[in-house]
Amino acid sequence: MPSFIFFHRARRTFSNDELGLEILEIAIPAALALAADPIASLVDTAFIGHLGPVELAAVGIAIAVFNQVSKIAIFPIVSVTTSLVAEEDAIGPLSSDEQESVELLDASPTFNKETDDLLPKNDTGESQQNTPSSNAYWKKEGFQKRNIPSATSAMVVSCVLGLVQTMCLIFFAEPVLKRMGVHKDSPMLMPAQRYLVLRSLGAPAVLLTLAMQGVFRGIKDTRTPLFATVVGDVTNIILDPIFIFVFRWNVSGAAIAHVISQYVMSLLLLWKLVQQVDILPPTISDLQLGRFLRSGFLLLLRVIASTIVVTLAASLATANGPTAMAAFQVCLQIWLATSLLADGLAVAGQVRYRYISVPGSRISTSELAFRISTHGVVLGVALAIILYPGLYFGGILFTKDENVLQLIRRCVPFVALSQPFNVLAFVFDGVNFGASDFAFSAYSMIFVSFISIFCLFTLSASQGFIGIWVALTTFMTLRTLAGYVRIGAGVGPWRFLRTNAFT
């Protein structure tokens, strides 16, 4: 059975070979960069928690709205950008006719002599990757910049979506918050609205930053995004206490500090990017917007489905009052921050798959799937062991309200023990994205979300606040199962595992 690729040759899990070292080289900086923004939100949460439970709950619901709205645009942009940029960096930018040939590779079971025949050829019959259109050729000949049209596509789309998001949140902040359960007479409404409107001013910088991170991931550079993210988050940490306590801007100060840090990150990344990539393609047709938007639309469906689940969970927590929402905010931010550490492995799997896809690679895709998944299991177990006592005793860092702390401690088993499933869900997503299996990723998430929404309504009605976390744990478990079945059953782009899983 193809599913045995997840269990065979376990002794090679941490081998210091070419694949193992490259996974760590890509995954560790990517994980730190991805976890940095949720950690910055945790810093906001820690500072705001000392203003009182009402302010903490208000910012919690505002952050939930902003993150979920941003995620709708961010996730498709980053994932599609990473895959397209990695492909173009490996085999070079292609014409519109050549793109059709390469798209056939996305559904190909393996990459050998047969898939080499699908690659565009030059006049001498060589694969396109060995012609002057290849970025590898340009780098060998001493050119300083890569020609990657999809990088410009991602930046154009992200800027437009960022401006649209800003306008929508500014004009519809109050009705959106009311739909989330913050009623007109609630003490949470005014601070939540102020925080959300101010944070929305940073939306263009957020989306542009994430698009550029996707470009850097695609060229296997995860250190530059980490550097920019650390600089931005340090800026946020420095400005937070100044704006909140010294200037007495309260929740508005936290929002302003976060917005400034986002623009710092975007400017740093743009400065670094123009040194490596030619972000202005020769013609509009080279932007590949059609291919970018087709794949992005599938991932958009996927993100909308998952966003509805998390947003509904936040709304149900809000309906239980400020104490429940404050506890939910702390647990959710920790849950997201630790889970995103796994996305570093997902990035490594996605990027490495595209380079393995190039004919002549010495590493098999089955070996990649095995190695990434076993790393994920180890990381998930480690996070669970660390997080259980850490969250149980560390909740006091975020609030001194005893009622909030009691609810946080009741959620510890769900937040901590779900980590192995969370990690594997991200890992399977990353490998499937690398195989451009976007359609399955979208439709499976829609199916899982329907089940999870039913669980949220049912369990929250019967079990209250704890029922919400049981439903979220079920959501992540079903996501993991869907990814496992897709690869383990040897279907779609993984059909080749039925015949050569152990070659």
Side-chain angles (χ1 to χ4, degrees):
M1 291 292 294
S3 59
F4 281 105
I5 69 167
F6 298 116
F7 307 107
H8 82 297
R9 293 180 289 186
R11 66 182 183 278
R12 297 180 58 182
T13 298
F14 297 105
S15 298
N16 292 324
D17 54 11
E18 176 188 353
L19 179 59
L21 292 175
E22 188 162 10
I23 286 174
L24 294 178
E25 185 178 352
I26 296 173
I28 293 176
L32 294 175
L34 287 164
D37 189 64
I39 288 173
S41 294
L42 279 176
V43 172
D44 284 351
T45 302
F47 283 121
I48 294 168
H50 289 84
L51 296 175
V54 172
E55 287 80 3
L56 179 60
V59 170
I61 193 66
I63 289 177
V65 171
F66 182 85
N67 286 346
Q68 297 310 314
V69 172
S70 298
K71 188 179 178 182
I72 292 176
I74 286 172
F75 193 83
I77 289 174
V78 176
S79 298
V80 175
T81 301
T82 300
S83 289
L84 294 185
V85 169
E87 177 185 290
E88 290 180 3
D89 193 47
I91 65 175
L94 307 175
S95 67
S96 58
D97 292 335
E98 292 169 338
Q99 289 172 32
E100 295 180 2
S101 298
V102 172
E103 285 175 353
L104 295 175
L105 293 174
D106 292 341
S108 181
T110 187
F111 293 89
N112 48 31
K113 180 62 172 66
E114 294 179 2
T115 54
D116 182 53
D117 292 338
L118 293 175
L119 283 170
K121 303 295 192 296
N122 60 17
D123 294 337
T124 64
E126 295 177 301
S127 296
Q128 185 69 36
Q129 85 173 87
N130 297 321
T131 69
S133 66
S134 168
N135 281 306
Y137 175 91
W138 293 337
K139 287 177 278 186
K140 180 179 179 181
E141 294 298 315
F143 289 86
Q144 296 300 313
K145 291 187 178 182
R146 294 171 166 91
N147 181 16
I148 305 178
S150 56
T152 304
S153 302
M155 296 175 69
V156 170
V157 172
S158 64
C159 287
V160 172
L161 291 178
L163 292 173
V164 171
Q165 180 180 328
T166 296
M167 299 303 295
C168 289
L169 288 177
I170 288 176
F171 289 107
F172 299 107
E174 183 174 352
V176 168
L177 289 170
K178 289 180 179 178
R179 293 291 297 176
M180 290 290 292
V182 184
H183 303 294
K184 186 176 181 179
D185 56 349
S186 172
M188 295 186 289
L189 181 59
M190 288 305 296
Q193 186 175 348
R194 286 200 303 271
Y195 186 90
L196 184 57
V197 169
L198 289 171
R199 273 289 295 269
S200 70
L201 299 177
V206 172
L207 296 188
L208 183 59
T209 296
L210 270 295
M212 288 187 289
Q213 284 195 23
V215 176
F216 280 108
R217 291 181 191 176
I219 60 177
K220 298 194 289 187
D221 178 4
T222 54
R223 294 184 180 181
T224 299
L226 174 60
F227 166 74
T229 303
V230 169
V231 172
D233 285 345
V234 168
T235 302
N236 183 44
I237 292 171
I238 294 174
L239 294 180
D240 255 343
I242 297 175
F243 290 171
I244 294 173
F245 302 115
V246 178
F247 292 172
R248 299 184 181 278
W249 292 349
N250 297 329
V251 297
S252 299
I256 294 171
H258 208 99
V259 169
I260 292 174
S261 71
Q262 290 294 340
Y263 279 98
V264 169
M265 277 189 277
S266 63
L267 290 175
L268 278 175
L269 284 175
L270 183 60
W271 173 54
K272 290 288 188 179
L273 185 62
V274 296
Q275 297 175 11
Q276 301 185 48
V277 176
D278 185 0
I279 60 174
L280 296 176
T283 63
I284 296 297
S285 61
D286 290 330
L287 284 176
Q288 304 183 33
L289 286 175
R291 188 180 179 201
F292 188 93
L293 294 175
R294 282 195 301 273
S295 299
F297 176 74
L298 288 170
L299 289 185
L300 178 62
L301 295 177
R302 184 182 190 279
V303 172
I304 290 174
S306 64
T307 297
I308 290 173
V309 173
V310 178
T311 304
L312 176 61
S315 177
L316 292 172
T318 304
N320 287 306
T323 299
M325 185 56 210
F328 182 83
Q329 161 66 3
V330 173
C331 292
L332 182 66
Q333 289 304 316
I334 292 176
W335 195 58
L336 292 176
T338 54
S339 297
L340 284 175
L341 290 173
D343 213 12
L345 285 175
V347 170
Q350 181 181 5
V351 173
R352 201 65 187 89
Y353 189 102
R354 303 308 296 188
Y355 283 89
I356 287 175
S357 303
V358 175
S361 174
R362 298 188 302 274
I363 300 171
S364 68
T365 48
S366 59
E367 178 69 16
L368 174 66
F370 160 73
R371 196 76 67 86
I372 290 286
S373 60
T374 51
H375 277 67
V377 171
V378 173
L379 176 61
V381 172
L383 287 174
I385 293 173
I386 295 171
L387 197 57
Y388 202 108
L391 180 57
Y392 190 89
F393 296 106
I396 196 170
L397 296 175
F398 303 98
T399 180
K400 295 180 180 179
D401 188 287
E402 190 58 35
N403 293 325
V404 176
L405 288 173
Q406 287 181 1
L407 279 180
I408 290 174
R409 288 165 184 157
R410 291 181 64 190
C411 295
V412 167
F414 304 102
V415 178
L417 299 182
S418 65
Q419 290 304 311
F421 297 104
N422 296 357
V423 172
L424 284 177
F426 280 102
V427 166
F428 290 145
D429 286 345
V431 178
N432 279 317
F433 293 160
S436 294
D437 199 7
F438 297 127
F440 171 80
S441 297
Y443 300 139
S444 64
M445 179 62 78
I446 292 172
F447 178 73
V448 167
S449 296
F450 271 118
I451 298 176
S452 302
I453 289 170
F454 174 78
C455 291
L456 274 170
F457 280 118
T458 304
L459 295 175
S460 64
S462 61
Q463 303 297 324
F465 183 73
I466 295 301
I468 297 174
W469 279 102
V470 174
L472 287 176
T473 303
T474 302
F475 172 61
M476 295 304 297
T477 303
L478 291 175
R479 281 182 58 181
T480 304
L481 183 61
Y484 175 84
V485 169
R486 181 63 165 179
I487 300 174
V491 294
W494 305 99
R495 289 189 300 273
F496 71 96
L497 291 178
R498 292 180 178 274
T499 57
N500 64 341
F502 303 105
T503 57

